[in-house]
Amino acid sequence: MKTKILLIVLLSFCAVSASAQVKADKRNLTLKEWNVDAGTNQKVLDHQTIYNSKGKKVEEAEYDRKGLKWRKKYEYSPDGTLLRVLVYDSSNRLDNVRKFEYNELGHKKTEYIYDSKGKLKRCKLYEYSYAASGD
């Protein structure tokens, strides 16, 4: 009987621990992706993504052998909605700013892309189509 209770408590603890680990998977995470040359085994940083304490992507950068290709910084509202993405060029100068509007379901509706001086360059419209369920 004591063994059964101990086993149940242990299994419950493992289930709770595994659940918490999945939820915290990207919290405070920095993910680096490396390209490795097959002949020399030389590593070259390819991509880096940084997540905050809430698991939201806050920065992303792409690299090549010469260094930085581009970098993006993500800004969120207090409720976690993506508000802006600031895009920087290979010289780490602001290239463009992307702002978003959302529909009543919380999905992106419109993305506005502004140049570094704040002039609207273009828009991207998002359209969502759901397939018939067949019920």
Side-chain angles (χ1 to χ4, degrees):
M1 181 69 168
K2 287 182 183 178
T3 306
K4 276 187 174 178
I5 293 172
L6 183 59
L7 184 59
I8 291 170
V9 169
L10 184 60
L11 289 174
S12 298
F13 175 76
C14 289
V16 169
S17 177
S19 174
Q21 188 175 3
V22 169
K23 288 180 184 173
D25 190 38
K26 290 184 179 177
R27 294 176 192 208
N28 297 313
L29 174 71
T30 298
L31 172 62
K32 292 183 178 182
E33 300 172 37
W34 298 87
N35 286 322
V36 180
D37 185 279
T40 64
N41 275 343
Q42 180 183 13
K43 286 181 14 177
V44 175
L45 185 60
D46 178 62
H47 198 90
Q48 178 173 289
T49 308
I50 301 171
Y51 298 87
N52 66 14
S53 61
K54 296 178 182 175
K56 298 279 191 181
K57 185 188 306 184
V58 293
E59 191 167 327
E60 182 176 27
E62 185 81 23
Y63 299 88
D64 61 16
R65 291 190 178 279
K66 297 175 188 171
L68 180 70
K69 289 172 64 177
W70 54 261
R71 182 171 69 97
K72 295 179 182 177
K73 290 181 72 172
Y74 298 81
E75 297 179 352
Y76 300 89
S77 68
D79 72 356
T81 303
L82 179 62
L83 294 176
R84 297 188 329 161
V85 178
L86 291 86
V87 181
Y88 297 86
D89 64 17
S90 60
S91 299
N92 210 22
R93 287 187 302 249
L94 183 63
D95 181 66
N96 65 71
V97 177
R98 296 158 188 249
K99 295 181 181 180
F100 305 93
E101 282 185 358
Y102 295 87
N103 65 19
E104 61 279 353
L105 298 174
H107 301 298
K108 285 181 188 173
K109 181 173 97 173
T110 310
E111 178 179 346
Y112 299 95
I113 298 101
Y114 299 89
D115 67 16
S116 62
K117 295 182 176 140
K119 182 179 178 188
L120 182 64
K121 291 169 46 174
R122 65 184 181 280
C123 296
K124 181 188 287 188
L125 303 176
Y126 292 82
E127 182 177 303
Y128 301 87
S129 301
Y130 295 95
S133 65
D135 291 336

